[in-house]
């Protein structure tokens, strides 16, 4: 037992507990902003930005949940495509595929960001559904 800790687990000041509050819903404007940033973050940081956004923001509203989910699915799919193309560089076809995948990621990411900024839902083509609704 550490200094100041009483039997039965950690004690909080005042005995009130951690005062956990569930996440509050975001305003529609904030959901549009974060959805747009998620898609742009996917272009810049691959699946890491959509993964963080999905884990942090999915309970803040239906619009942001759907956008972070589809962005995560698309960028995981593109990460797999990058990996396969990287392996195929050994037989030279991957050297042709890598720039195509890069352009596809940028174009579809921009289209999704624009749709999110308008308050519209967007479905990425060429995306595998890893995270289900």
């Amino acid at each position: 037992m550490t200094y100041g800790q009483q039997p039965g687990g950690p004690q909080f000041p005042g005995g009130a507990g951690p005062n956990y509050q569930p996440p509050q819903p975001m305003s529609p404007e904030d959901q549009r902003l974060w959805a747009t940033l998620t898609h742009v973050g996917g272009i810049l940081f691959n699946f890491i930005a959509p993964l963080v956004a999905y884990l942090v923001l999915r309970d803040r509203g239906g619009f942001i949940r759907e956008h972070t989910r589809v962005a995560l699915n698309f960028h995981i799919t593109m990460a797999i495509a990058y990996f396969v193309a990287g392996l195929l560089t050994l037989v030279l076809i991957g050297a042709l595929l890598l720039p195509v995948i890069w352009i596809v990621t940028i174009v579809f990411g921009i289209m999704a960001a624009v749709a999110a900024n308008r308050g519209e839902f967007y479905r990425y083509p060429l995306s595998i559904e890893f995270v289900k609704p």
Side-chain angles (χ1 to χ4, degrees):
M1 191 176 336
T2 61
Y3 175 75
Q5 185 177 7
Q6 297 180 6
Q11 301 295 316
F12 297 95
N19 292 331
Y20 173 76
Q21 301 226 351
Q24 299 299 314
M26 282 189 200
S27 69
E29 295 81 22
D30 286 344
Q31 288 189 56
R32 285 198 329 260
L33 171 68
W34 282 104
T36 303
L37 292 175
T38 298
H39 294 295
V40 172
I43 295 170
L44 300 174
F45 302 108
N46 205 330
F47 71 92
I48 301 299
L51 175 63
V52 170
Y54 179 76
L55 293 175
V56 173
L57 301 173
R58 68 180 170 202
D59 296 329
R60 305 289 301 271
F63 186 78
I64 189 69
R65 181 183 311 114
E66 183 62 16
H67 272 277
T68 56
R69 185 186 70 80
V70 296
L72 179 58
N73 284 329
F74 177 72
H75 289 289
I76 289 173
T77 303
M78 291 298 103
I80 292 169
Y82 276 122
F83 178 76
V84 170
L87 290 178
L88 289 175
T89 57
L90 298 174
V91 290
L92 300 179
I93 189 75
L96 299 173
L97 290 175
L98 285 171
V100 171
I101 296 167
W102 181 67
I103 290 169
V104 164
T105 301
I106 291 173
V107 169
F108 289 147
I110 290 171
M111 291 171 63
V114 168
N117 196 33
R118 289 185 188 151
E120 302 168 356
F121 289 101
Y122 183 80
R123 283 271 181 226
Y124 283 97
L126 310 172
S127 180
I128 301 169
E129 289 286 318
F130 293 103
V131 180
K132 305 284 185 195

